[in-house]
Amino acid sequence: MRQDSVRVPRARGSAPEAQDLGWDDSLYERDPGAREPSPGGSGLRRGGPKQRGERGAPRGKRRILRWFATVVSLLILGTAGAGYLYYLHLNGNLGKDDLNLGDSKLDKSSPNAAGQTPLNILLLGSDSRSSRENVRLGGARADRDRKPLADVQMLLHVSADRSNMSVISVPRDTRVTIPKCTDTDDGAVYPENSATINSSLQNGGPGCTVATWEELTGIPVDHFMMIDFAGVVDMADAVGGVPVCVDNNVYDSKSGLRLRKGESVIKGEQALQWLRTRHGFEDGSDIGRAKAQHMYMNAMVRQLKAGTKLTDPGKLNGLAEAATKALTVDKGLGTVKKLYDLGNDLKRVPTGRITMATMPWVPDPDNAAHIIPKPGDAEKVFSMVRNDTALDGKDKKKAAKKSPKPSDPAAPKAEIPVTVQNGTGTATQAPVTGRAALIADRLSQLGFTQAATDATPKSRADTTVSYPEESLRGDALAVAKALGLPESAVRHSSSVTGITLVIGADWRDGTAYPKPAGSGGKDDNKAPDSADALNGDDKSACMKVNPANVW
């Protein structure tokens, strides 16, 4: 995985590294020789980061610190205007990589009627394992040189008008289609395959994970941020701790977390324990851990929004130093100024309009250890993000977008070549055989006699009509109108050479484009219950303790 920056040794006084903080992200087991924690104590042993690709360790290791430190870094950089000149020095700390390694890249999101554009950032956390100390403590010696996995994956969507933010987690063991990716560093080509989404990082780097998300969701990704460092500890200390809640006394021997029933303010190593815990929460799965992570993040944001002061310059500078050394970002986000501007952009979103959710899922029928997107519900969540609709259901009715007339009028139907492709296959559904031929025949009946099929495999959530240049937009609109497709289905794309119709998973049968499921219902503009959404202002949220972990 390419990194354009040179890493420098940690400066004196800077934030401690993961092994200094006791984060043993390798084993997810307590050291046999570690002290038994007392109620309210931390009890984490010291250890280094885990070796790459270890098999056999319990699921979900190393998740929260990656994504959380990423978002927190944005907040820090966004609030540190007074030290802006100092942060220019931090540019060299950042690692940079290519945004998308796939063959097919989605166009950027279209602006709204006011010319504002939504923003989609993929937050990644790798489980890179390279520490000899961790191998000594029980890591898989044979896997120490294996490529890292992206065990934390969250898409942060900021609305075009910056009025709301949606964060969608996808569990690491979700089985998806990983598209063909080409590593721009060494030229290695990784063919398309079906695997768990965390393994996409091994196919050339974070750019392949971005390509996988675009394939899965149909959402164009503008930037990615990947982190493998536990800077969250200093952040928690800097704001004086973060309030969390449990509905019973909890002790998780795996993470060392021990808390009494009710609200506690946690910081330092105890914050790490909260963020690592899964056995102690709900059913002991990674889904429960993600929920705890969402609660912690919301509480942290509320602390900052409420005016919590980061008053220790040395601690703040050390944290910024550590955060930038920890980050790998796409080349379009590769300067501290861009991170600073992004942080300011995110600050505009009120906490009451921040929604954190988990992709609706069901067990994988082919492998009990995996999950797949829940048919209907998962697509609804993705579709809401694609259409810049807030997950909290609080959006005001948007004015109809007025599109400009095409620069060139449509040619006669018989003179418009149309390529029709079958994109009905998804991670949860096999493609419908013959869809492209059926719709091409329908177009021919409607007068588009040059319609022809293309058997190139596709996977598309929404049916789209793409055109390569502005002079062909009128032709694309004519095709959409003939089939009853909405104007929003017509998109400019640099990846096509002519008018291209891709039949998506939203049109799996018939020749008449269907009305969206549930259209007109009262819950059309709100995330389904299966997304387990949590509002940023919900101070009453309290984690359910797994009965097996009550003390």
Side-chain angles (χ1 to χ4, degrees), residues 10 15 20 143 194 199 240 243 264 279 288 368 416 435 447 461 486 489 515:
R10 180 162 57 92
D20 302 324
D143 286 342
S194 178
S199 66
S264 301
H279 294 86
I416 301 177
R435 286 299 292 158
K515 188 177 182 180

Side-chain angles (χ1 to χ4, degrees), residues 102 139 350 449 474:
T449 54

Side-chain angles (χ1 to χ4, degrees), residues 248-385:
N248 211 331
N249 294 347
V250 59
Y251 172 54
D252 185 337
S253 62
K254 305 296 185 181
S255 69
L257 180 71
R258 185 187 290 267
L259 291 175
R260 295 186 181 277
K261 178 180 178 180
E263 183 175 291
S264 301
V265 176
I266 59 176
K267 56 183 178 179
E269 293 184 358
Q270 198 171 46
L272 281 176
Q273 294 169 347
W274 174 275
L275 301 171
R276 296 177 68 199
T277 295
R278 70 179 174 94
H279 294 86
F281 294 146
E282 299 194 344
D283 62 356
S285 73
D286 288 332
I287 306 302
R289 173 160 36 194
K291 192 171 185 178
Q293 294 165 3
H294 291 167
M295 287 186 185
Y296 187 96
M297 180 58 191
N298 278 341
M300 172 70 83
V301 172
R302 287 196 300 269
Q303 295 281 91
L304 293 171
K305 288 278 189 178
T308 298
K309 304 298 183 183
L310 302 177
T311 55
D312 185 335
K315 186 171 289 188
L316 179 59
N317 289 350
L319 182 56
E321 196 74 56
T324 51
K325 286 179 182 178
L327 283 174
T328 298
V329 300
D330 65 277
K331 294 174 181 177
L333 197 60
T335 68
V336 171
K337 181 182 186 305
K338 291 179 180 178
L339 290 173
Y340 171 81
D341 291 341
L342 179 59
N344 276 336
D345 216 13
L346 297 180
K347 284 168 55 182
R348 295 164 56 189
V349 180
T351 55
R353 296 302 310 281
I354 296 175
T355 304
M356 298 204 174
T358 301
M359 177 198 74
W361 58 273
V362 293
D364 184 350
D366 298 324
N367 188 329
H370 300 158
I371 62 174
I372 58 175
K374 184 176 182 179
D377 283 7
E379 171 52 29
K380 178 178 180 180
V381 171
F382 299 150
S383 179
M384 291 178 71
V385 172

Side-chain angles (χ1 to χ4, degrees), residues 459-480:
S459 179
R460 185 69 54 81
D462 300 313
T463 298
T464 59
V465 182
S466 301
Y467 59 94
E469 56 189 56
E470 184 60 29
S471 62
L472 295 178
R473 183 167 176 266
D475 293 353
L477 287 169
V479 171

Side-chain angles (χ1 to χ4, degrees), residues 22 75 83 91 96 148 216 264 377 379 403 507 509 537:
L75 293 171
N91 280 344
K96 295 97 176 177
L216 172 67
S264 301
D377 283 7
E379 171 52 29
S403 299
W507 193 8
D509 55 57
D537 264 351

Side-chain angles (χ1 to χ4, degrees), residues 40 42 67 140 326 369 409 432 473 510 525 535:
S42 61
W67 73 263
V432 179
R473 183 167 176 266
N525 293 324
N535 182 268

